[in-house]
Amino acid sequence: MTLQKRDCPIKIRAYPTGSQFSCVEFDIHADHFRFAPSAALGCHFGDFAKALYALYYEEFDPHAEWNSCHSEVGENGGIEAMVSKVEWDNEGELLYITMRRSWLPDADDIIELKLETELVMPPFQKTYRVAGRDLCYAVGKCCTELLKKYGVYGYHTAAEGDLLPLHQVLFLKAHGLQVREPRMLRAADPFVTGTDFEKEMELLRFDM
């Protein structure tokens, strides 16, 4: 399996602070954002990864694992787009993150990313159009760095209960790197499918 790191125009960094807060930094379209969501009030960085994962689907898997995600239905009754939301609260400031991705068959893989604050002085609202593979790459890279530094259980405890589901991290990395092998289902037992664990681990350990 050929894995090739690349320079991604979106940079995302996250790290626990040793309290109930984690720091998350975004560099996107020459803008820099820093926010510190509180574990005491719910969402953490892992929820952003889950919300991004929910915008996609694979054969036999609709990625329906994030509650704050809904479909936009067109006039003909078909699904036109998926919209996924995250709310970060740092016990005094609120950041609302909304991501929208078209589900039309001929649509490009573009995500509309909206960042909107409340109780911040001055408040701001920013909307970006980014390539889905770039956003997945940036989030997958960030997840890899967190897992390698803190460990799977170590990160969970360091970030006060935040979760980085490995099957979701693997998808984000695979999509960001444009590789298919780790996501290909194969027969494991009669009537039961599986995946290639060695290729999954190769992808999980790969530095992006």
Side-chain angles (χ1 to χ4, degrees), residues 186-194:
R186 58 179 176 80
D189 291 308
F191 311 110
V192 178
T193 59

Side-chain angles (χ1 to χ4, degrees), residues 17-22 36-44 89-91 158-160:
T17 64
S19 63
Q20 64 191 17
F21 299 95
S22 284
S38 169
L41 294 174
C43 283
H44 243 294
D89 189 332
N90 76 342
E91 301 184 27
E160 301 286 337

Side-chain angles (χ1 to χ4, degrees), residues 95-170:
L95 176 66
Y96 302 106
I97 305 173
T98 304
M99 292 178 282
R100 181 185 185 277
R101 180 177 181 271
S102 174
W103 266 31
L104 297 177
D106 58 346
D108 292 331
D109 181 21
I110 299 296
I111 293 175
E112 184 180 275
L113 174 65
K114 180 180 178 181
L115 306 177
E116 184 176 9
T117 60
E118 184 178 318
L119 306 177
V120 175
M121 297 302 292
F124 69 83
Q125 178 178 306
K126 292 277 191 174
T127 301
Y128 304 93
R129 284 176 55 83
V130 300
R133 65 186 294 259
D134 286 341
L135 190 55
C136 287
Y137 188 101
V139 174
K141 175 179 171 64
C142 184
C143 290
T144 302
E145 292 169 350
L146 288 171
L147 292 171
K148 285 197 168 186
K149 182 173 183 178
Y150 299 101
V152 177
Y153 181 55
Y155 173 72
H156 176 67
T157 56
E160 301 286 337
D162 192 23
L163 294 172
L164 299 175
L166 294 186
H167 70 289
Q168 297 186 11
V169 174
L170 287 168

Side-chain angles (χ1 to χ4, degrees), residues 9 27-32 128:
D27 285 292
I28 179 170
H29 290 191
D31 290 334
H32 177 79
Y128 304 93

Side-chain angles (χ1 to χ4, degrees), residues 51-52 54-56 66-73 79-86 97-103 111-112 114:
L52 176 59
L55 293 179
Y56 290 87
W66 180 242
N67 292 333
S68 297
C69 186
H70 68 272
S71 58
E72 287 186 357
V73 179
I79 297 177
E80 291 191 349
M82 294 300 295
V83 179
S84 200
K85 297 183 178 182
V86 177
I97 305 173
T98 304
M99 292 178 282
R100 181 185 185 277
R101 180 177 181 271
S102 174
W103 266 31
I111 293 175
E112 184 180 275
K114 180 180 178 181

